[in-house]
Amino acid sequence: MNRLLPFFGFMLLVALFGFGIWWNTQHDQNAIPSPLLNKPAPAFDLPKLYEPAQTVSKADLLGRPYLLNVFASWCIECGVEHPVLEAEGPGLGVQLVGYNYKDAPADAKRWLAEHGNPYNLLIADEPGHTAIDFGVYGAPESFLIDAKGVIRYKHIGPLTPDVMANELKPAIAAMLKETP
């Protein structure tokens, strides 16, 4: 029996390794679930990018759904996402709020002047403290927030035409259908 113990140990390792491979092929490895989904968005009070003496709070945005899009001038993938936001943002049916993340205001303004401004409202979080409360990993990220201030959808990475058509627009439609 002692001579079979290494064989059974080896077979157990092979079975665990095989299960791990199977598990990884069955699940999206890029999906990072957010613990904030279907929970109230964190409170915030951030300055407007172009008027830093004025602030925007979570309370100011209640009553109307919005897409909070985290971007920065230093973010390469934001350049991939930006033309999609410009093309499809106006037709989404929700306010598009740009959330400038860990970026010097002058750099963000220069980037928007060069690439265009698809946003209805722009807020800035240069130190990045509020982003921690949202669980932001980096830019770009997007949060769909309903009129009551509840996060209904989160996407990490650039919003591509495919993501817009297959994920974001259906999430917006479902959310708007529930809103009285």
Side-chain angles (χ1 to χ4, degrees):
M1 181 67 174
N2 285 341
R3 295 169 68 151
L4 293 177
L5 196 57
F7 174 74
F8 287 124
F10 176 74
M11 293 307 291
L12 178 64
L13 287 175
V14 168
L16 288 173
F17 182 70
F19 178 76
I21 290 173
W22 172 82
W23 182 264
N24 285 336
T25 60
Q26 302 300 312
H27 297 87
D28 182 2
Q29 299 304 302
N30 295 321
I32 303 172
S34 174
L36 296 178
L37 281 180
N38 299 314
K39 294 189 176 140
F44 62 88
D45 192 22
L46 293 169
K48 290 183 175 181
L49 180 64
Y50 287 99
E51 302 169 73
Q54 295 181 11
T55 62
V56 175
S57 69
K58 175 186 171 182
D60 295 331
L61 296 173
L62 290 175
R64 189 170 166 204
Y66 59 98
L67 181 68
L68 185 72
N69 178 250
V70 180
F71 79 99
S73 65
W74 47 262
C75 167
I76 294 172
E77 290 297 308
C78 295
V80 171
E81 171 182 77
H82 205 73
V84 176
L85 289 174
E86 286 199 302
E88 300 197 38
L92 289 177
V94 297
Q95 181 174 225
L96 188 55
V97 177
Y99 183 108
N100 187 240
Y101 173 63
K102 288 190 173 185
D103 204 3
D107 293 341
K109 291 174 189 175
R110 186 172 32 258
W111 192 85
L112 288 166
E114 182 180 325
H115 293 91
N117 182 358
Y119 303 106
N120 304 105
L121 176 65
L122 278 157
I123 55 178
D125 185 10
E126 190 173 0
H129 299 305
T130 300
I132 293 169
D133 296 335
F134 272 92
V136 171
Y137 292 92
E141 289 188 29
S142 297
F143 299 83
L144 179 61
I145 301 172
D146 70 16
K148 294 177 183 173
V150 175
I151 296 174
R152 303 296 297 272
Y153 169 84
K154 178 181 179 180
H155 181 77
I156 298 171
L159 293 171
T160 63
D162 204 35
V163 170
M164 288 287 229
N166 298 320
E167 295 179 29
L168 182 59
K169 288 180 180 180
I172 291 171
M175 178 189 67
L176 293 177
K177 211 184 278 188
E178 293 174 11
T179 305

